[in-house]
Amino acid sequence: MTGIEIQVDGTSVAVAEGASLLAAVRAAGIDLPALCSDDRLSPAGSCRTCLVRAGGRIVAACVTPAASGAHVETATDDLRQLRREAVQVIASALPPRALADGNPGELAEFCRSSGIGPDTAQGAGGRGGDDSHPYVHLDRDLCIACGRCVRMCAEVQGTFALTLVGRGADTVVAPGTGGSWAESDCVACGGCVDTCPTGALTEPGPARGLTSAHRPAATRTTCGYCGVGCALDVVTSDGEVTAVLPARDGPVNQGHACVKGRFAHGYLTSSERLTRPLLRRDGRLEPAGWDEALGHVARGLRAAVAAGGPDAVAAISSARATNTELEGRLPVRTMVGDACEPTFLEHAGALTADLVIATTGNDEDNLVISLLAKRQFAVPRVAARVNDEENTWLFDQNWGVDTAVPVATPLISLIEEATGATDTVALLRLSKAGVDVIETAITPRSRAAGRTLAEIALPAGTVIATVIREGRPTVPAPGMWLQPGDELLVVSHAATEREIHAAFQ
């Protein structure tokens, strides 16, 4: 990505083209309040706390693009006063406890560093809260209606479970379906808690107020629940885990996690957790040593092979197993993943694989994996499981799928049938959190009708997987003319459904 240089308070700063002035200011090491802004989200520009001067005009830094050669001022007395007054106006509507010593959140921290005391907060409170959810506590009195939680739920998690309700000063976050938080569409990813700047949304218990951006020293680890490989920061106190937070600089998850990765760590101290092997003796499971347990398994496997041959033993691969654990357990080198975006396919080894196997429970997803692997990465052989016999026609070899077998086919048989002597396999599972599969149709009024695929300006990170014409799939080519009645299967890991429809309609 090309870069540009601008001047921030006399210091030259290089930022990526298209970056905001706020990104440039922070690159210069200057910390501005930006209560409605989060680097993981699209800018809103609603709080006006990040005011700077650029080109002689006072602008909100978060929504103003940086221009090459621009001169930005942040430290003049009038700008400091404007930012301070903007923060004071926001804080004045909150109850005094919002700025009390020890209260977490970006707003409280900025007020403390700027000398804005609790006496500034004059709100009466009394708007209540919601304690129905085990992982999310809502304190409406601390909500400033910045909308970060709503955007996090929509733009990053893709659940659209939250909304802002009310008007004016009474606006507050609420579940989009009405009712309690626990009854909403919330999937408990914790993204809303992680982005909240005031503490209106917090995790109950010892992790209250901790976020990926505001936490004590932590230990970096990799989530072990599935094969995606999300980076997590583990916060401990007196030798016990108090919080698990998504790492902002995690190359895979970039500051986000699922409910298991973030909250499912209670098993660490569970009295029911197994800490040593168990062997069944006389119908009862009894504790045993590792050597004894592993020896028992080894003798059982040897006996099975001796009695029934090599086919009597099979391995089950799982997205919850690491690549290291899977090495050597199948007759091929196996890589398991949970996403289908091109960058992930590259990381998963699909570029160098002799075979890619699509093994999801959704035939449409298997088709998309197959198409991307074959067409975009030129994988020599592609295999797919077919969950519904009626969809077998989807996997015609003209599409690039070399082997398509029923879902009941054991994994080992699938590999042997598809590979023969192949020694490298990438097993890919599609996650809708990583990629969207969107269908759009060409109508007589569509602006795309009568144009070639090469003329369609697709959003970044978007691929046309196939064109269905007269009920049959057609391999898309740049020179193909689109006509009314065509249905397109579009794959994207970056654009929204609205942006994709707009490219054709």
Side-chain angles (χ1 to χ4, degrees):
M1 182 179 293
T2 57
I4 59 175
E5 285 195 6
I6 70 171
Q7 296 289 320
V8 179
D9 292 338
T11 300
S12 181
V13 176
V15 295
E17 187 173 352
S20 67
L21 290 183
L22 182 60
V25 168
R26 289 177 172 169
I30 300 170
D31 187 21
L32 292 184
L35 297 178
C36 67
S37 178
D38 185 317
D39 293 340
R40 296 166 291 183
L41 308 174
S42 60
S46 59
C47 71
R48 320 308 283 182
T49 60
C50 62
L51 297 176
V52 298
R53 182 176 284 106
R57 299 171 54 243
I58 295 177
V59 296
C62 66
V63 292
T64 305
S68 180
H71 290 263
V72 180
E73 295 179 325
T74 70
T76 61
D77 290 341
D78 62 330
L79 288 171
R80 288 196 180 99
Q81 185 61 26
L82 284 172
R83 291 195 295 265
R84 181 184 175 88
E85 290 175 355
V87 172
Q88 286 177 318
V89 168
I90 293 172
S92 66
L94 304 180
R97 61 186 174 84
L99 305 185
D101 290 342
N103 196 64
E106 296 172 36
L107 174 61
E109 288 188 4
F110 178 80
C111 288
R112 283 193 287 269
S113 65
S114 304
I116 301 175
D119 57 330
T120 302
Q122 299 293 324
R127 294 197 290 180
D130 188 335
D131 291 318
S132 64
H133 199 282
Y135 304 127
V136 181
H137 167 66
L138 169 63
D139 184 343
R140 295 188 183 92
D141 290 339
L142 301 186
C143 180
I144 59 173
C146 64
R148 280 166 59 167
C149 54
V150 177
R151 284 179 285 143
M152 177 66 74
C153 190
E155 297 175 13
V156 178
Q157 176 57 37
T159 301
F160 301 90
L162 305 179
T163 188
L164 293 176
V165 298
R167 300 180 66 86
D170 294 326
T171 304
V172 68
V173 64
T177 54
S180 70
W181 205 284
E183 296 170 337
S184 72
D185 294 330
C186 173
V187 296
C189 69
C192 58
V193 171
D194 199 64
T195 193
C196 181
T198 66
L201 292 169
T202 57
E203 178 183 346
R208 178 181 177 272
L210 299 183
T211 69
S212 58
H214 298 82
R215 57 165 177 77
T219 301
R220 178 62 57 85
T221 188
T222 301
C223 182
Y225 271 106
C226 78
V228 171
C230 294
L232 302 175
D233 290 324
V234 181
V235 180
T236 57
S237 177
D238 296 328
E240 293 189 2
V241 174
T242 58
V244 176
L245 305 170
R248 286 287 186 102
D249 57 349
V252 175
N253 53 318
Q254 298 179 344
H256 194 56
C258 71
V259 59
K260 293 181 179 179
R262 173 151 186 166
F263 299 115
H265 52 81
Y267 66 88
L268 292 170
T269 55
S270 172
S271 60
E272 298 180 357
R273 182 183 181 188
L274 291 179
T275 58
R276 58 186 302 183
L278 299 177
L279 277 181
R280 190 176 299 280
R281 299 187 181 98
D282 298 326
R284 297 180 59 184
L285 288 174
E286 298 179 352
W290 283 104
D291 291 341
E292 182 184 6
L294 292 175
H296 180 81
V297 172
R299 288 190 296 273
L301 289 175
R302 292 194 190 102
V305 172
D311 289 342
V313 177
I316 300 176
S317 83
S318 168
R320 295 191 178 187
T322 65
N323 291 345
T324 303
E325 291 171 328
L326 289 168
E327 287 286 349
R329 298 193 182 185
L330 296 174
V332 291
R333 180 162 60 88
T334 306
M335 288 162 284
V336 179
D338 281 314
C340 189
E341 55 190 277
T343 53
F344 177 82
L345 287 174
E346 181 175 355
H347 294 160
L351 284 175
T352 58
D354 299 312
L355 166 73
V356 163
I357 302 181
T359 60
T360 82
N362 184 296
D363 289 333
E364 181 184 83
D365 294 348
N366 286 341
L367 178 60
V368 171
I369 291 174
S370 304
L371 291 169
L372 288 178
K374 195 75 171 183
R375 297 179 187 169
Q376 190 158 348
F377 298 117
V379 174
R381 296 185 67 79
V382 176
R385 274 182 170 163
V386 182
N387 301 278
D388 186 339
E389 290 186 7
E390 294 183 359
N391 293 332
T392 303
W393 65 273
L394 286 171
F395 299 93
D396 185 282
Q397 288 193 11
N398 292 333
W399 288 59
V401 179
D402 301 293
T403 303
V405 297
V407 68
T409 303
L411 182 62
I412 298 298
S413 299
L414 173 60
I415 293 174
E416 291 176 347
E417 178 180 348
T419 66
T422 297
D423 63 0
T424 304
V425 172
L427 293 178
L428 300 177
R429 291 177 171 83
L430 179 71
S431 167
K432 288 301 177 69
V435 62
D436 286 323
V437 182
I438 298 167
E439 298 179 10
T440 188
I442 305 300
T443 68
R445 302 180 62 181
S446 300
R447 62 179 178 178
R451 300 170 66 186
T452 65
L453 292 179
E455 297 177 277
I456 306 300
L458 291 174
T462 301
V463 177
I464 299 176
T466 187
V467 177
I468 300 176
R469 179 168 291 173
E470 297 180 355
R472 300 294 295 177
T474 304
V475 177
M480 175 183 290
W481 294 87
L482 292 175
Q483 59 190 45
D486 287 347
E487 298 179 22
L488 284 75
L489 194 65
V490 183
V491 184
S492 180
H493 64 91
T496 65
E497 183 172 354
R498 180 179 297 179
E499 290 172 334
I500 291 175
H501 286 311
F504 297 94
Q505 305 304 328

